[in-house]
Amino acid sequence: MRADGPVPLRAAGVNGRRADPGAPGPSVWPGAPTPLGARFRVGPDGVAGTNFALWAGGAEAVELCLFDEDGVETRAPLTELTHEIWHGFVPGIHPGRRYGYRVHGRWDPWTGARWNPAKLLLDPYARAVDAGRGNDWGALPPEVYGHVRDWPQQHVADTVRDDRDSAPYVPKGVVVHDDDDWADDRRPKTPWADTVIYELHVKGFTQLHPDIPEELRGTYAGLAHPAAVDHLVRLGVTAVELLPVHQYAHEDHLLKRGLRNYWGYNSIGYFAPHAAYSSSGTRGEQVGEFKRMVRALHAAGIEVILDVVYNHTAEAGELGPTLSLRGIDNRGYYRLHSDPRAYTDYTGCGNTLHVVQPHVLRLITDSLRYWVTEMGVDGFRFDLAAALARSMHDVDMLSPFLAVIAQDPVLRRVKLIAEPWDVGSGGYQVGAFPPLWTEWNDRYRDAVRDFWRGSVPDVRDLGYRLSGSSDLYAWGGRRPYASVNFVTAHDGFTLRDLVTYEHKRNEANGEGNRDGTNDNRAWNCGTEGETDDPLVNALRRRQIRNLLTTLLVSTGVPMLVAGDEMGRTQGGSNNAYCQDNEVSWVDWSLAGQPGPKSLLDLTTRLLALRHAHPVLRRRAFFSGRAHAADGLRDLAWFTSKGTEMTEGDWYAPASTLALYLSGRDIPGRDARGAEVTDDSFLAILHGADRPTDFRLPGAPWAQSYEVVVDTSWEEQESAPGVVYRGGETVSVGARSVLLLRAVM
């Protein structure tokens, strides 16, 4: 263990094997500085090989490390340097070969320099990763840390360099064969207004599915299986949003407790599909399997959106492992604190990528373009996007990251979703992202949850959320579909748990139930946890129907979470990020049970209704003004007396809100230039614990009304066909939604 000084170049083995130090290394030709990463190609004189290129600003030397089938490592220096990119072409290196880098430079943590050539580093541009034994040790070995992890004086441990070889314990890049043939692929290109997002986890969605072959469960191939695709098609969603599939690593504190990072928000390879989700192999086979999954979903008309984590990496803070960027150029890749030993942390995960640096911005945009052009994906949801939008410190909507995305000819055409906050000062930015972007709208989530748990003083905020959140998004050319509406997400309670628990139950995570939010805005219907009380369970099922119906008739882009359509439970866990087990996996046995099947049928029918009626998928905000002599408005709000709401009504305590959506005044034209017209609907949301009388508005709104959905009814098959006259007073069930089609 040394405090400074370079490690001499040599040949070395792994797993106790060492190459002959006197044996000649591989021949390295000059090669080219672009593209970055490892690219198999035909070189000079028709010789096949692989070009390697690595940006390592400030480094003194870079060694390419090649591993044979027996795990023996051979090192070769890259001597060509162009604009801080070290590069070389190695003849005879074919796809499937594993590799990494050792980067030499100063060890001076006090200035942020943390080069340590004893540590094998993953290529940031590696397009496949072989994790080897992965994390079978029960904890991260001390060798994977650039500093002496177990130094007795922990407050200075990060300053003491550890010279033990990390190669046996860290993931390695894999050379991949280029395959750009997408001739048989047809992207669905679903317009934003018509989009319905279904958030799922590749493993969790497929692991327990009885109709997926056991060897394919938990994998990309499992998600591509007809049994998985058929469920998505029958349900009626148009896009899957995959929890992170970039190669990620597990945190040491989880491994020590016998747990794993299940969600995957701990990326270490921004070009590589996570190897553990591959059924076909980890020597590049995962790339082809991922592409076949995308093709299968596209063939079914379903887009693929990736949840991506470019705000931080798995290397964590100064006491974290050295796996890639830290050892390549710590000062170049990460935002460092005023004390350069430490990191500026806007993410809560120990570090933040320094996106204003050109090479970091290039890494991210190169990665995004790769997933679009070579892997076939249709869009991205950016985790903690506010951290990416920070310039030097503050969130800046003119930041380099947002500016580059806006002008990029590839990226500006795909779906872009921001999680519009981070954990830093000024990080909450809901409604602030520029045109092209949509946003997770947590204000929609909170307003809908609060209304159905009876915790709102009035209905003003709910009115905005149901009609597209114009107060947040009606600026700069943004449209209602800028709002991604959701009631639940992977982070938090499932829909069933939202009506079953008021308090989180995260003890299984081993953190004393301190993790996860306490602001659940949940109501347990009078009893905490599961119960055999038939009245409580009936109310809970009705509340789930209320929440789902509200979501799917709201203006904006709805997002469902896998399993919510069948009443999946996590047993009260609202932070199942490390529960790679039945707690998080979709329980497909629910689909055969009467209650969950009824819920699945209702969800399917609501999505079919949304698909059939453009008035529920508006491309422009409502004006609220009358567009005809009869005074009919495109959007109108009514009290239970059947009169339009006044200014005072919006400020008065209320548990009932009704909105009329006119199908006669839909802006825009269809593909042939014809005006778009549709049926009109009246939706009555009643949140009180007693039924209420509601006088249906008469002319010009409607002559009569046909019941489409009544959530007070356990079985919805009997709901359609009931007709009421305009002006008639009807009884709206306690805590229910009554959706009516206007008959003119």
Side-chain angles (χ1 to χ4, degrees):
M1 300 174 187
R2 299 156 45 154
D4 54 21
V7 174
L9 306 185
R10 64 184 185 277
V14 297
N15 301 327
R17 302 175 62 84
R18 185 175 297 277
D20 179 3
S27 175
V28 181
W29 300 352
T34 58
L36 291 169
R39 291 298 181 109
F40 175 72
R41 62 179 178 84
V42 175
D45 300 323
V47 177
T50 299
N51 192 83
F52 295 90
L54 176 74
W55 182 91
E60 296 173 359
V62 172
E63 293 175 280
L64 171 66
C65 306
L66 299 168
F67 296 84
D68 66 15
E69 290 299 319
D70 295 324
V72 175
E73 174 187 355
T74 302
R75 304 181 191 177
L78 297 181
T79 58
E80 298 295 324
L81 181 62
T82 305
H83 303 310
E84 298 186 316
I85 297 173
W86 301 78
H87 54 91
F89 178 86
V90 185
I93 300 300
H94 290 261
R97 191 67 174 267
R98 295 177 301 158
Y99 73 100
Y101 293 105
R102 298 180 187 271
V103 181
H104 298 255
R106 293 185 304 112
W107 175 262
D108 187 11
W110 295 270
T111 63
R114 292 183 178 272
W115 284 284
N116 184 348
K119 308 305 169 183
L120 185 75
L121 305 175
L122 182 66
D123 180 4
Y125 279 73
R127 293 182 293 159
V129 173
D130 179 41
R133 288 176 57 193
N135 296 115
D136 297 338
W137 300 280
L140 291 179
E143 287 87 350
V144 306
Y145 293 81
H147 65 279
V148 180
R149 183 188 65 182
D150 302 320
W151 192 255
Q153 297 171 304
Q154 278 292 294
H155 67 286
V156 294
D158 69 289
T159 68
V160 183
R161 198 175 80 172
D162 188 322
D163 286 343
R164 288 174 289 188
D165 185 13
S166 70
Y169 311 104
V170 294
K172 298 166 182 65
V174 179
V175 178
V176 174
H177 195 288
D178 286 325
D179 176 15
D180 299 327
D181 183 15
W182 286 92
D184 61 339
D185 183 65
R186 296 292 183 269
R187 294 178 184 264
K189 297 182 180 179
T190 307
W192 257 126
D194 301 335
T195 298
V196 177
I197 297 173
Y198 188 80
E199 188 191 41
L200 66 82
H201 188 286
V202 169
K203 182 175 183 180
F205 185 72
T206 60
Q207 185 68 28
L208 299 178
H209 201 300
D211 297 327
I212 297 176
E214 188 170 353
E215 66 273 13
L216 300 183
R217 296 175 189 173
T219 69
Y220 305 118
L223 184 53
H225 190 273
V229 177
D230 287 350
H231 178 80
L232 300 170
V233 172
R234 288 197 305 269
L235 188 60
V237 300
T238 70
V240 291
E241 183 175 301
L242 307 183
L243 266 68
V245 294
H246 288 166
Q247 184 69 37
Y248 63 86
H250 303 288
E251 296 93 326
D252 191 46
H253 69 90
L254 292 178
L255 296 171
K256 288 177 178 177
R257 298 199 294 269
L259 299 170
R260 298 289 187 271
N261 187 317
Y262 168 69
W263 285 350
Y265 292 90
N266 210 37
S267 299
I268 197 61
Y270 289 131
F271 290 76
H274 189 59
Y277 301 153
S278 172
S279 67
S280 52
T282 62
R283 296 292 184 90
E285 297 91 347
Q286 61 265 52
V287 178
E289 185 173 328
F290 184 94
K291 290 180 178 180
R292 291 189 292 274
M293 176 198 73
V294 172
R295 285 188 175 96
L297 291 166
H298 282 179
I302 297 171
E303 294 185 303
V304 178
I305 299 171
L306 303 188
D307 195 335
V308 290
V309 189
Y310 294 110
N311 55 76
H312 75 280
T313 75
E315 293 185 304
E318 59 270 20
L319 296 177
T322 295
L323 303 172
S324 182
L325 304 183
R326 192 197 312 276
I328 296 172
D329 187 349
N330 184 58
R331 295 178 297 187
Y333 277 107
Y334 293 117
R335 289 179 180 265
L336 300 185
H337 196 268
S338 55
D339 173 4
R341 272 180 58 190
Y343 296 82
T344 300
D345 183 10
Y346 294 121
T347 67
C349 300
N351 65 55
T352 306
L353 280 183
H354 203 356
V355 181
V356 298
Q357 294 279 18
H359 50 274
V360 180
L361 187 57
R362 177 182 178 182
L363 170 68
I364 294 173
T365 53
D366 282 354
S367 168
L368 292 170
R369 281 189 293 268
Y370 172 78
W371 286 97
V372 174
T373 59
E374 298 193 41
M375 301 295 274
V377 306
D378 306 285
F380 306 94
R381 178 264 187 189
F382 292 81
D383 179 67
L384 300 182
L388 299 173
R390 290 182 182 271
S391 290
M392 296 312 297
H393 298 289
D394 296 334
V395 178
D396 179 5
M397 292 305 159
L398 297 176
S399 66
F401 172 75
L402 295 178
V404 166
I405 295 291
Q407 60 79 43
D408 189 283
V410 172
L411 301 180
R412 69 188 181 200
R413 296 183 181 182
V414 302
K415 287 182 165 64
L416 303 171
I417 307 171
E419 183 183 39
W421 51 77
D422 63 21
V423 302
S425 176
Y428 186 76
Q429 295 289 325
V430 173
F433 274 71
L436 293 183
W437 288 81
T438 63
E439 300 174 13
W440 270 25
N441 187 353
D442 67 329
R443 289 185 59 179
Y444 178 93
R445 175 200 64 197
D446 294 349
V448 171
R449 288 188 180 190
D450 283 346
F451 177 80
W452 287 114
R453 71 188 180 111
S455 183
V456 290
D458 53 54
V459 292
R460 283 176 294 161
D461 196 44
L462 182 64
Y464 275 119
R465 306 308 143 227
L466 297 176
S467 58
S469 295
S470 60
D471 59 328
L472 299 176
Y473 302 113
W475 63 272
R478 303 190 81 182
R479 299 298 182 93
Y481 46 76
S483 177
V484 174
N485 298 332
F486 65 102
V487 177
T488 58
H490 68 275
D491 188 0
F493 283 148
T494 66
L495 203 55
R496 175 173 165 180
D497 288 352
L498 189 66
V499 300
T500 306
Y501 301 89
E502 292 183 6
H503 306 287
K504 64 188 181 183
R505 297 189 177 184
N506 297 338
E507 289 83 1
N509 293 351
E511 300 176 35
N513 206 34
R514 295 183 300 273
D515 61 304
T517 182
N518 293 316
D519 183 21
N520 295 298
R521 299 175 187 249
W523 180 51
N524 60 21
C525 298
T527 300
E528 182 71 4
E530 298 291 341
T531 180
D532 294 327
D533 188 321
L535 294 179
V536 172
N537 286 329
L539 175 57
R540 287 174 175 174
R541 291 193 296 272
R542 186 161 76 250
Q543 285 287 83
I544 292 175
R545 294 194 294 272
N546 291 336
L547 290 162
L548 268 175
T549 304
T550 303
L551 174 65
L552 294 178
V553 301
S554 296
T555 300
V557 177
M559 184 182 78
L560 300 168
V561 178
D564 271 355
E565 72 274 21
M566 298 180 291
R568 182 179 74 88
T569 179
Q570 292 182 166
S573 172
N574 74 352
N575 190 34
Y577 78 103
C578 56
Q579 297 300 316
D580 187 4
N581 49 49
E582 289 84 354
V583 170
S584 297
W585 302 339
V586 173
D587 180 4
W588 290 97
S589 70
L590 292 169
Q593 301 174 19
K597 184 179 183 302
S598 177
L599 180 61
L600 176 59
D601 291 342
L602 173 62
T603 308
T604 302
R605 193 154 67 83
L606 285 167
L607 285 172
L609 182 75
R610 187 179 182 92
H611 176 73
H613 291 284
V615 73
L616 301 176
R617 301 179 278 108
R618 286 179 61 97
R619 288 159 167 75
F621 287 105
F622 298 97
S623 70
R625 297 188 298 271
H627 294 282
D630 59 12
L632 190 72
R633 304 176 188 276
D634 62 354
L635 173 67
W637 305 92
F638 289 91
T639 69
S640 59
K641 296 178 181 179
T643 58
E644 289 193 67
M645 291 180 66
T646 65
E647 184 74 12
D649 291 326
W650 286 107
Y651 288 86
S655 56
T656 306
L657 181 64
L659 65 158
Y660 180 96
L661 306 172
S662 172
R664 194 171 71 181
D665 299 300
I666 302 176
R669 297 176 181 271
D670 65 14
R672 296 177 178 268
E675 291 186 0
V676 178
T677 58
D678 192 14
D679 292 331
S680 299
F681 291 88
L682 179 69
I684 305 170
L685 285 67
H686 177 56
D689 59 0
R690 296 177 182 274
T692 188
D693 289 335
F694 192 98
R695 186 174 183 271
L696 300 174
W701 309 102
Q703 297 297 324
S704 58
Y705 295 88
E706 178 185 15
V707 175
V708 178
V709 172
D710 186 343
T711 63
S712 67
W713 297 349
E714 187 77 31
E715 297 296 332
Q716 292 297 308
E717 286 76 5
S718 58
V722 177
V723 177
Y724 299 109
R725 297 186 308 276
E728 182 178 353
T729 297
V730 300
S731 178
V732 181
R735 293 194 175 93
S736 68
V737 178
L738 181 60
L739 180 63
L740 305 156
R741 183 178 68 86
V743 181
M744 308 305 285

